[in-house]
Amino acid sequence: VQLQASGGGFAQPGGSLRLSCAVSGFTLDRPAVGWFRQAPGKEREGVSCLSTLNDITHYADSVKGRFTISRDRSKNTVYLQMNNLRPEDTAVYYCAANLGHSSSYALCNGHPSDWGQGTQVTVSS
């Protein structure tokens, strides 16, 4: 099982970025997948998660209405579209999955079974 994150970078406040997570070793038709982030001096938090079984999503309150998680089964890739970025969104972002269940809520609030490497997102003027 591998998860390969990409797409991080620099954005100004109000800008947009899209993160991608290419997965291998499993298909996006049952597990829960999602994105976590960790800012300096803070704990890692679940930002956005998706059940690939029933398309139910879960978002942290801090990103609702600004971030959108999606997946492309044909490309085995999970995306995080981040709009209206704020300086407090600055963090290392990680894609993750839990192959043992399909609950997006449980993934974002629990412990993934598999992690990808992080990608840095910096929002600054």
Side-chain angles (χ1 to χ4, degrees), residues 9-118:
F10 179 86
Q12 293 187 334
S16 298
L17 286 172
R18 189 177 79 157
L19 305 182
S20 299
C21 178
V23 309
S24 60
F26 65 99
T27 54
L28 298 174
D29 56 4
R30 181 169 293 275
V33 294
W35 293 91
F36 289 68
R37 69 185 180 187
Q38 187 165 23
K42 294 187 176 181
E43 292 187 356
R44 191 174 297 185
E45 64 169 339
V47 173
S48 178
C49 295
L50 167 72
S51 169
T52 63
L53 176 66
N54 54 29
D55 291 331
I56 292 176
T57 57
H58 176 79
Y59 294 93
D61 288 343
S62 57
V63 306
K64 282 181 181 176
R66 301 188 298 120
F67 289 12
T68 303
I69 187 171
S70 63
R71 55 103 168 82
D72 185 330
R73 284 180 175 148
S74 67
K75 297 181 179 179
N76 239 26
T77 300
V78 181
Y79 302 99
L80 185 67
Q81 178 66 42
M82 304 185 294
N83 297 329
N84 193 19
L85 284 162
R86 304 168 180 170
E88 54 264 38
D89 294 319
T90 296
V92 178
Y93 284 70
Y94 301 86
C95 59
N98 195 313
L99 304 188
H101 66 71
S102 303
S103 170
S104 55
Y105 178 85
L107 175 61
C108 264
N109 291 279
H111 302 283
S113 61
D114 295 90
W115 291 94
Q117 91 291 359

